[in-house]
Structures are given as structure tokens and as C-alpha cells.
Amino acid sequence: MVSPPHALVIPYPAQGHVIPLLEVAHALADRGFAVTFVNTEFNHARVVAAGAGLEDGGRVRFVAVPDGMASGEDRNQLVRLTMLMEEFMAPRVEELVLASGESSGAGGKITCMVTDYNVGSWALQVARRTGIRSAAVWPASAAVMATLLGFDKLIEDKIIDAEDGSALGDKPFQLSPDMPLMHSAHLSWNCIGDHDQQAALFRYLVEGVRAIEQCDFVICNSFQDAEPAAFSLFPNVLPVGPLLTGERNGKAVGHFWKPEDEECMSWLDAQPARSVVYVAFGSFTMFNRRQFEELALGLELSSQAFLWVVRPDILQGGAEHDYPEGFLDRVCGAGGRGKLVTWSPQQRVLAHPSVACFVSHCGWNSTMEGVRNGVPFLAWPYFADQFVNQLYISDIWKVGLKAVADESGIITKEHIAGRVEELMGNADMRERVEAMKKAAHESIQEGGSSHGNFDTFAEGMKKA
Ligand code: UDP
């Protein structure tokens, strides 16, 4: 019997990467691939503890490898985590490829590598050394990918420094006339928040670009109609999104926290159509006490019902959640119009008819999930690529409003409440986001461009 093609899928070890890469893994399994998914031991344990989609009848085989950090070390130190991966993960991954096919029941010989671009060039080098096909997955926007692929030009135009990618001045630039004006201070590597490691991080990203020039496919979790200008700059990058991230057949997959499904969905069922403000800031964003309090008061001040995701670690320094005095009794008690959860089944929440708008940090998965479900945004970015994503939401697609800080850097309760009211009543914005929802759905249906691109990629990866 001929063994099926076998893909080794490697996400960057963060929530916003494990979720979309797991969807890529399942989409490959749908197309006849055996799939081995490589999580770090730390993240594997989190997904197991959250009960989020590992018992799927063996469609995807999970393998856990060390990330090189000590137990108890903070995995939110992204630059450190990134730098350790090559040393600790690369040898284990190479071993996995070389040893594959030796034991029965493990999917047979690994025939290709599908790696998150952010994992780094080492994964693609392992693929080259072991002679298997390789593809890079870009789980963020094509526009942000274009800033990376086009970094040579940014250096030549003296927009960024050649050594560490830092901003040279504050003159805005445009990668193409149909793309937004961007600021070099808002390039993802300039807003990761670790200035000491800036040069190392930039070098690593640049090496990643060189490596993907040699891989067989680059796929991106976006769609043609969302970013035509960015895709036309780099036609080899195939849009395959928006992927249905975070769930499969109505069940949560790949989450680090246990989604409070019952609490969210039955509460939403009891609300009128298009009445609820959904508030969620992804897996990393942290608030200082003052901003946290202001957000709570802003939600109270608006007259709308809200579902707010308050992760256990959402306050800086691991502080206890510090709600304004009386807030929980006034707003979130029995019969109150606010509902708090620690983690939601976000795709299902955004698809619920009672959800009216999304107060979001503009992480790319959240951005695609909002668009795919036709929900307008209050766009409130914190770091990395989120500033560019905000520009797309507010200036290019015009499906959301920007959250704007006052001179002390705080987004005030009056501003939050005012913007939410503005969003709820904006029929034009609703119409535009509905049109994007339609385009997103068309692209992922059979016959749509993203669907066709995924088929092309999968067929190409099957070749010997
Ligand atoms: N998410 C979720 N429940 C929540 C908050 C987030 O399922 O309560 C999911 C969300 O649907 C998305 C991912 O977590 O798929 C977050 O990725 P994103 O790129 O939006 O942000 P990041 O966490 O990387 O900052």
C-alpha cells in the first residue's frame, strides 16, 4: 500500500499562531494528508488542559518538543522564545523527519514541512537538508508580509535602518498607491517592545525572508479581495483565507484557555439581534490598572449590552482584576447587561446574530474573524502588526473606527462609550462589512480563489 503524503506542521509557539496553523493542518488532513503537528511541550500541555481539540480520532498526530525555556519562565518574552527555538527545537524536528516511517501507525514517512514563517529559517533549512518539500505559512496580513519581503527597498529609501530595522525619521511611506500610508515606527519589528534585542530580531526576520525565497509555497491567511494591492506586489504569496480558525465542526480546537462556551452562547441567545458589544483583546494584550478601569467604566457608560473577555493574566504584573468600585454588582450581576468570561469561543461568538460590534486589539486572526462574520470594529491596537491592521480596518476597508488615546495616553470612558454608540448606528459601515463578509465567504467556497489556492498548494505538496 502506498503511504499518504505526510506533512509536518510547525506553528510559532503563541496562541495566535497555533490556532491558524492547526486549521491548516486539518485542511491538509481533509485533502488526504497524514499530519504531524509540533507544539512546544508548554503549549501542548495548555491545549490538553483546555480540552481543546486534541481528541479528534487521530486525524492529526500531536508531538511536543521542548522550547528551551525553564519551567515557570514567562513565555510572553517573545524575542527570547524566538531565539531559543533554533537551538532547542531544530534538532528535535530534524530527528522527527529522519525517524519518520520507522514506526508503524505514525503516518509513515514525513514528505513535507509546512512551517509558520515566524518559526524562523531553521525549519526550512531542516526541510532542505532532509530533502522534503517545504511551505511557509504567513498567518498575518499580506500588507505586513509585504513590509518584510520589501525590506531591501525600505532600507534603500532610507525609511529604516539596515542594521536593526528601526525607524529613520517619521515620514510616512506607501508600498503601493492602493495601500495605506504607514509609519516606520509601526512596522511589526519596531513594536514588539524589546529594544535590547531589536537588531537580533530584525536579523532573524531578514533571514526568514531569504529562506522563504527558496521554499515551494508561501500561503497567507488573507483573501484576494481584502488586500489586492499587497498580493499584486508579491504574486507568489497565495491567499488561502480567511481560515475558519479556532473551531472544527462546532468544537474548539487549539485554544490555550478553556472557552466558556455555555456561558457565552446561552447568554448571547437571550439577547436581541445586533445588540451586544463583544470586547476581546486576544491572547497577549495586557492593560495597566488605569486603562482597565477606564474600559470597564466606558462599557458601563454606553447603554449597550456587552460580552467582555477578561483573561486571567490581562493585568500588567499579574495583578488581580481590579474592577471599579461596585462595577460588578451594578453591571454584571443577575439581570445586568454585562457578561464577563475568561475566554470565549470567539468564532462562534462573532457569528452569533446578537453581536453588533467588536472592540478588538486588531490581532490578525481577530481581524479576519470579524470580517468573515460581518462585524464592525472599534480598533484598539497594542503591538506588533496590530497598528497596520488597524489602518486596514479604519482607512482602507472602512469597517471600523479607531480608538484614540487622549494626551495622557489613555482611551477614556467617554471616548469608548461614544465610539461604541457611533458604531452601532453606522449603517454605511454595516453595509461595507457585510460586503466583505460576502467576499470572504465566496473566496473560501469551492470555486473561490482562496479555496483554489489551497488546493494548488496541497497538490503541489503531494509531489515527490
Ligand atoms: N480567541 C478566542 N477567545 C477569546 C480571545 C481570542 O478564541 O476569548 C482567539 C481568537 O479567535 C483568535 C486568537 O484567539 O483566533 C487570537 O489571535 P489574534 O491574532 O487575534 O491575537 P493574538 O492573540 O495573537 O494577539
Side-chain angles (χ1 to χ4, degrees):
M1 199 181 96
V2 185
S3 321
H6 183 174
L8 188 71
V9 179
I10 315 178
Y12 182 81
Q15 179 70 101
H17 297 251
V18 169
I19 283 181
L21 269 282
L22 197 45
E23 176 52 30
V24 170
H26 277 285
L28 286 169
D30 290 344
R31 288 163 173 84
F33 280 74
V35 182
T36 298
F37 192 83
V38 185
N39 259 326
T40 61
E41 287 168 350
F42 184 81
N43 288 342
H44 183 70
R46 299 180 82 179
V47 179
V48 170
L54 297 187
E55 26 349 72
D56 64 354
R59 268 170 64 89
V60 172
R61 172 177 164 250
F62 291 89
V63 174
V65 300
D67 60 13
M69 279 195 169
S71 77
E73 227 184 311
D74 177 10
R75 261 73 184 178
N76 287 352
Q77 300 172 78
L78 290 184
V79 181
R80 174 160 160 72
L81 184 61
T82 302
M83 299 306 156
L84 286 171
M85 279 191 305
E86 175 156 18
E87 187 183 343
F88 287 86
M89 288 178 70
R92 280 288 286 121
V93 165
E94 186 148 357
E95 229 172 84
L96 272 174
V97 178
L98 294 173
S100 64
E102 285 171 7
S103 58
S104 62
K109 173 126 193 55
I110 290 168
T111 54
C112 61
M113 165 102 68
V114 177
T115 175
D116 193 327
Y117 163 83
N118 300 279
V119 160
S121 55
W122 61 262
L124 295 168
Q125 283 156 14
V126 169
R128 236 188 341 274
R129 275 201 297 278
T130 52
I132 59 175
R133 286 191 164 261
S134 61
V137 182
W138 179 251
S141 77
V144 170
M145 177 144 213
T147 61
L148 273 170
L149 294 176
F151 77 92
D152 273 337
K153 174 96 171 62
L154 295 179
I155 291 172
E156 196 182 300
D157 292 348
K158 301 204 173 1
I159 288 166
I160 57 169
D161 181 80
E163 286 305 306
D164 64 4
S166 60
L168 296 176
D170 55 6
K171 209 167 108 244
F173 67 93
Q174 239 174 337
L175 292 176
S176 102
D178 295 323
M179 288 176 71
L181 275 176
M182 297 186 194
H183 286 270
S184 37
H186 282 166
L187 291 167
S188 52
W189 56 86
N190 287 332
C191 353
I192 240 49
D194 188 343
H195 300 293
D196 297 345
Q197 304 254 24
Q198 170 89 23
L201 177 69
F202 186 63
R203 262 199 311 279
Y204 155 91
L205 290 170
V206 167
E207 274 167 29
V209 170
R210 304 283 183 234
I212 63 167
E213 280 161 4
Q214 291 165 36
C215 71
D216 297 289
F217 288 94
V218 183
I219 60 171
C220 173
N221 183 19
S222 180
F223 58 110
Q224 180 66 32
D225 286 351
E227 300 186 83
F231 283 115
S232 74
L233 289 177
F234 297 99
N236 291 338
V237 178
L238 296 181
V240 298
L243 299 166
L244 179 60
T245 36
E247 68 166 281
R248 269 256 146 189
N249 305 322
K251 283 173 71 185
V253 290
H255 295 251
F256 289 1
W257 291 269
K258 194 168 173 42
E260 296 192 45
D261 297 43
E262 188 43 43
E263 283 75 359
C264 291
M265 301 317 285
S266 55
W267 185 83
L268 286 172
D269 286 345
Q271 309 304 318
R274 287 206 187 137
S275 65
V276 174
V277 182
Y278 174 57
V279 186
F281 290 83
S283 60
F284 266 106
T285 314
M286 288 191 184
F287 282 73
N288 60 39
R289 278 168 190 270
R290 169 83 212 285
Q291 186 62 80
F292 183 78
E293 183 175 280
E294 208 65 19
L295 172 55
L297 293 173
L299 294 173
E300 181 172 4
L301 194 60
S302 102
S303 55
Q304 310 300 332
F306 63 87
L307 173 64
W308 181 13
V309 178
V310 187
R311 284 190 338 268
D313 60 349
I314 204 158
L315 276 179
Q316 283 169 1
E320 284 282 307
H321 296 162
D322 203 3
Y323 295 98
E325 176 111 35
F327 171 82
L328 293 178
D329 292 338
R330 282 195 308 276
V331 194
C332 303
R337 61 189 169 75
K339 175 87 188 153
L340 307 180
V341 291
T342 53
W343 190 253
S344 79
Q346 184 162 295
Q347 274 278 7
R348 260 173 295 151
V349 166
L350 289 167
H352 196 285
S354 72
V355 170
C357 65
F358 184 9
V359 179
S360 171
H361 71 313
C362 311
W364 186 249
N365 292 295
S366 295
T367 302
M368 281 290 99
E369 290 160 6
V371 161
R372 182 192 166 109
N373 290 296
V375 182
F377 298 82
L378 176 54
W380 180 337
Y382 270 83
F383 92 138
D385 59 336
Q386 297 158 10
F387 297 95
V388 173
N389 302 344
Q390 183 200 43
L391 285 177
Y392 269 83
I393 290 171
S394 64
D395 299 2
I396 300 286
W397 307 328
K398 300 186 169 56
V399 296
L401 300 172
K402 281 182 180 163
V404 182
D406 69 7
E407 54 296 340
S408 69
I410 288 290
I411 298 179
T412 63
K413 54 181 181 295
E414 292 82 9
H415 182 74
I416 296 165
R419 288 258 135 153
V420 163
E421 299 301 329
E422 233 180 293
L423 266 181
M424 305 282 286
N426 192 321
D428 291 347
M429 201 164 278
R430 160 71 52 193
E431 209 172 290
R432 283 190 293 271
V433 79
E434 285 292 340
M436 277 199 86
K437 172 181 173 179
K438 187 161 172 283
H441 279 259
E442 280 168 7
S443 77
I444 50 179
Q445 298 306 315
E446 193 123 18
S449 55
S450 286
H451 192 280
N453 286 337
F454 203 101
D455 283 344
T456 304
F457 150 67
E459 282 312 307
M461 294 301 276
K462 282 181 182 169
K463 291 187 184 142

